[in-house]
Amino acid sequence: MKICVYPGSFDPITSGHMDIIKRSSAMFDKLIIGILNNQSKMPCLTTEKRLYYINKCIEKYDNVEVLSFEGLLVDFAKQIGAKYIVRGLRALSDFEIEMQMSAMNKRMYPEVETVFLMTDTKYSFLSSSMVRDVGRFGGDFSGLVPDEILGELSERLVQTN
């Protein structure tokens, strides 16, 4: 069974993330979205809220699940039996950083392969931090996040301003 992990903070999940989820779920037997619970960052959304939002967005995918983890990605990948890591790329600057992380992951877990997917060009500018900024100030971010969470997320982000 080909198990793949798609790691990230997903704070919040965006339409760009969903583009990668849709495409990578078709490539692997099982896709696990791994929400990194990084104590050094101050996320806008709690891990529980991010799990909730992502679960709402992936209901139609039978082979996708979401879990949270702390620590090294390679340790999480080993724990869940993943031999593949998928990473979305928006621009050349993403590739440089992702290539370095991929090399380090391969050094620590030689059996793992990193698969890079270019996001759809209509999402090449999109990031979770941009969504948070637009949402905090009451801007319209329809199309930037999945419809399943648009209204609820909009209300939540305005409250954090």
Side-chain angles (χ1 to χ4, degrees):
M1 176 178 269
K2 290 183 180 180
I3 301 172
C4 180
V5 62
Y6 178 28
S9 59
F10 305 100
D11 187 32
I13 189 167
T14 69
S15 296
H17 293 132
M18 288 305 299
D19 173 54
I20 299 299
I21 291 166
K22 176 183 176 185
R23 293 165 46 214
S24 57
S25 69
M27 297 169 62
F28 298 97
D29 298 318
K30 185 171 193 174
L31 177 66
I32 298 175
I33 301 166
I35 299 175
L36 176 60
N37 186 7
N38 186 343
Q39 298 298 331
S40 66
K41 287 188 175 184
M42 295 295 297
C44 176
L45 302 170
T46 65
T47 301
E48 293 74 24
K49 197 48 110 168
R50 288 180 276 160
L51 282 162
Y52 169 76
Y53 284 143
I54 295 171
N55 274 313
K56 282 187 80 167
C57 297
I58 64 168
E59 288 178 348
K60 62 185 170 195
Y61 299 98
D62 294 335
N63 67 332
V64 179
E65 69 177 278
V66 60
L67 300 169
S68 66
F69 73 99
E70 293 182 10
L72 295 174
L73 171 59
V74 291
D75 292 338
F76 178 64
K78 287 177 191 176
Q79 177 188 338
I80 61 173
K83 299 283 187 182
Y84 302 92
I85 298 168
V86 70
R87 298 297 294 166
L89 301 175
R90 295 170 296 188
L92 185 58
S93 57
D94 286 346
F95 178 74
E96 292 176 23
I97 294 164
E98 294 294 343
M99 187 180 72
Q100 291 173 349
M101 286 193 293
S102 172
M104 182 57 78
N105 289 338
K106 187 76 166 167
R107 182 181 184 280
M108 293 186 290
Y109 182 24
E111 295 84 8
V112 76
E113 293 293 339
T114 301
V115 177
F116 298 110
L117 294 179
M118 295 300 300
T119 191
D120 189 305
T121 55
K122 66 184 172 187
Y123 305 123
S124 63
F125 65 93
L126 186 55
S127 68
S128 292
S129 59
M130 286 185 182
V131 168
R132 288 192 307 269
D133 289 345
V134 170
R136 281 188 185 121
F137 296 102
D140 177 16
F141 56 83
S142 53
L144 304 181
V145 299
D147 291 341
E148 293 90 342
I149 63 170
L150 181 62
E152 195 174 331
L153 181 62
S154 179
E155 290 174 22
R156 182 160 193 81
L157 291 178
V158 169
Q159 292 171 0
T160 64
N161 189 11

